[in-house]
Amino acid sequence: MTKKLFWENSYKTEFEAKIIELTKEGVVLNQTLFYPKSGGQVSDHGFLKAGDTIFEVDYTIKKEDEIIHHIKSDFKEELKIGKIVKGKIDWEYRYGIMKAHTSQHLFSALILNKYNIETSKVYIDFEEVVLELAQNMDYTQLKSVFNEVNSICISDNQKIEVKTMNYEEAKKCSNEIRGFVPEHSKIRLVQIESNDLVCCGGTHVHNSIEIGPLLIDSFKKNREIRYYLGKKAVNMLSDINIDLLISAELLNQPTLKLKQATEKNLNLISNLQQENKNLIIRTLNLISQIPTTSINNISIYIIDMNIENKILTKEFKNFPSNSLLIANLSNNKFRVFSKCKDVKANEIVQYLIEKFGGKGGGSDNSAQCSIDYESMDILNEIRIVLNRK
Ligand SMILES: [Zn+2]
């Protein structure tokens, strides 16, 4: 069994321990400060020193009551059972995880306290957290909770305390505990003043202001919140700041009015798209009245425009009978529509593919293809197809 020194003092970085077991991947110690991956929190990494030799521990995992320290290099020669080693965790990394973990308690607790929404899953990494909520939350709710969490993490100075009690005691006060109480003989509870009380075996900071400001990176499907803190948040904030400045200059707007400017521009784009669509429909209507040419009583219409298939299909219904419409889209793509008994749309497409290479297909009335050859005279090719009838 490995004694969990990180539970006694999460701020301690160095320790001494005895090797009690060797596994294929690494060593098991009688006690350790290395937190093993569990409860949504990533593991610590660092070093073990035996004599003058340093071994890198890249991760630690839990196996029943033991913690395996995974050693990157070949260690079997020097590390033997009974040997005393000195351990040192990567403090900057651990501290970033402690801050992230504590912020997660606070965030989850406030979402539950304010909106009765539980957190169903968490992922805690170095200066990064993902919360998966059991129910949807809207942006107004998110903003309200986020402001409160940030205020506590920046200036509210709330204490984080750990207490242990036996299972029966914990069960008695389970209505005050967020989440479930595991059936262990000793229960470890983490409390953030009047905001949160939860069973947890992770590592946490002592005071909320150690966490610092949080920055939300994404809010997917109104349920998944990914946020950063510490250096990750500051770096991201700097990037966003510069991007905002560039966007503000491009849009010729003050930075703080970018949201309104973006909404205005999106409306403008939407109106332009609608006007463009109306214009295309009017153009198709005009084109349908004057064929490009006529061969064997078939009216041929050729248009060089990138038009959506939905619009073409709908508008071709208004073309006269015995019409053949060829839309030359961008990148050697063609769409063919036919109202002729003698010439099928797919027949033309297959002819083009066979002659010039490419791919495509379709039905008697509608077909499309991408042609490999660039300088093709489409009208000339249609003429060849019709004249061989
Ligand atoms: Zn925790």
Side-chain angles (χ1 to χ4, degrees), residues 101 104-105 190 200 202 204:
H101 194 143
Q104 178 270 311
H105 281 223
V190 179
C200 184
H204 313 85

Side-chain angles (χ1 to χ4, degrees), residues 35 39 41 98 101-102 104-105 124 178 188 190 196 198-204:
Y35 180 84
Q41 178 177 332
M98 277 163 55
H101 194 143
T102 314
Q104 178 270 311
H105 281 223
I124 299 154
R178 179 170 60 83
R188 189 174 187 263
V190 179
D196 192 33
V198 70
C199 303
C200 184
T203 53
H204 313 85

Side-chain angles (χ1 to χ4, degrees), residues 42-295:
V42 293
S43 82
D44 283 320
H45 56 237
F47 297 95
L48 287 181
K49 196 175 171 191
D52 290 332
T53 317
I54 292 172
F55 297 92
E56 190 183 338
V57 178
D58 53 357
Y59 64 86
T60 45
I61 51 166
K62 204 163 76 170
K63 199 173 172 192
E64 289 157 14
D65 280 341
E66 295 181 331
I67 294 170
I68 301 169
H69 300 68
H70 184 268
I71 311 269
K72 268 178 107 174
S73 54
D74 188 14
F75 61 92
K76 298 252 161 97
E77 277 293 306
E78 290 206 50
L79 299 181
K80 305 280 185 195
I81 291 175
K83 194 157 191 169
I84 303 292
V85 291
K86 286 181 175 172
K88 189 177 182 182
I89 57 162
D90 179 339
W91 172 242
E92 193 190 343
Y93 185 71
R94 154 68 81 78
Y95 196 41
I97 295 167
M98 277 163 55
K99 288 192 264 187
H101 194 143
T102 314
S103 73
Q104 178 270 311
H105 281 223
L106 200 54
F107 217 140
S108 293
L110 292 189
I111 292 172
L112 184 69
N113 298 348
K114 276 181 92 109
Y115 300 112
N116 202 25
I117 297 174
E118 290 188 8
T119 301
S120 49
K121 209 171 161 190
V122 297
Y123 170 73
I124 299 154
D125 203 334
F126 170 69
E127 297 185 338
E128 183 178 347
V129 176
V130 180
L131 299 179
E132 269 184 41
L133 307 178
Q135 290 169 53
N136 285 10
M137 198 163 96
D138 63 34
Y139 274 96
T140 314
Q141 292 172 319
L142 178 65
K143 192 174 176 178
S144 166
V145 175
F146 187 51
N147 283 344
E148 206 170 320
V149 175
N150 255 331
S151 160
I152 295 171
C153 292
I154 295 165
S155 58
D156 212 2
N157 211 0
Q158 296 205 359
K159 280 195 181 64
I160 291 94
E161 288 170 307
V162 176
K163 48 188 174 186
T164 48
M165 54 179 73
N166 62 41
Y167 179 70
E168 285 71 31
E169 279 179 296
K171 258 307 197 197
K172 274 183 207 160
C173 58
S174 61
N175 57 333
E176 293 165 35
I177 299 171
R178 179 170 60 83
F180 80 110
V181 178
E183 281 188 52
H184 296 160
S185 54
K186 280 277 173 208
I187 303 294
R188 189 174 187 263
L189 289 152
V190 179
Q191 181 162 17
I192 307 178
E193 300 207 346
S194 60
N195 283 311
D196 192 33
L197 182 65
V198 70
C199 303
C200 184
T203 53
H204 313 85
V205 293
H206 285 170
N207 201 299
S208 63
I209 54 167
E210 290 176 61
I211 299 166
L214 313 180
L215 185 74
I216 297 177
D217 173 46
S218 64
F219 182 40
K220 285 186 192 160
K221 298 176 181 172
N222 290 66
R223 270 188 192 222
E224 190 194 285
I225 307 164
R226 179 185 293 273
Y227 66 89
Y228 297 112
L229 54 141
K231 280 183 192 165
K232 274 193 186 174
V234 172
N235 291 341
M236 195 177 157
L237 199 58
S238 305
D239 289 347
I240 291 171
N241 198 174
I242 301 301
D243 287 348
L244 278 179
L245 288 178
I246 295 168
S247 306
E249 195 178 324
L250 284 172
L251 293 169
N252 197 23
Q253 293 289 332
T255 317
L256 291 177
K257 288 202 171 162
L258 272 179
K259 185 174 170 269
Q260 291 92 320
T262 307
E263 280 166 358
K264 201 174 147 191
N265 281 321
L266 283 174
N267 265 337
L268 193 69
I269 291 169
S270 171
N271 290 341
L272 284 173
Q273 280 174 332
Q274 190 53 49
E275 277 178 31
N276 187 41
K277 194 178 164 186
N278 294 342
L279 201 64
I280 288 170
I281 291 170
R282 280 209 299 276
T283 308
L284 283 172
N285 192 269
L286 280 173
I287 287 173
S288 72
Q289 294 169 30
I290 312 159
T292 311
T293 188
S294 187
I295 306 168

Side-chain angles (χ1 to χ4, degrees), residues 271-333:
N271 290 341
L272 284 173
Q273 280 174 332
Q274 190 53 49
E275 277 178 31
N276 187 41
K277 194 178 164 186
N278 294 342
L279 201 64
I280 288 170
I281 291 170
R282 280 209 299 276
T283 308
L284 283 172
N285 192 269
L286 280 173
I287 287 173
S288 72
Q289 294 169 30
I290 312 159
T292 311
T293 188
S294 187
I295 306 168
N296 302 341
N297 286 329
I298 296 172
S299 302
I300 318 283
Y301 302 86
I302 295 180
I303 45 170
D304 293 324
M305 270 172 96
N306 210 352
I307 303 175
E308 271 180 60
N309 190 32
K310 220 165 84 180
I311 299 176
L312 280 171
T313 308
K314 193 176 169 203
E315 295 309 310
F316 186 63
K317 286 178 185 156
N318 301 325
F319 276 57
S321 57
N322 230 20
S323 294
L324 192 63
L325 170 66
I326 294 105
N328 186 359
L329 312 170
S330 56
N331 302 324
N332 293 331
K333 275 189 190 152

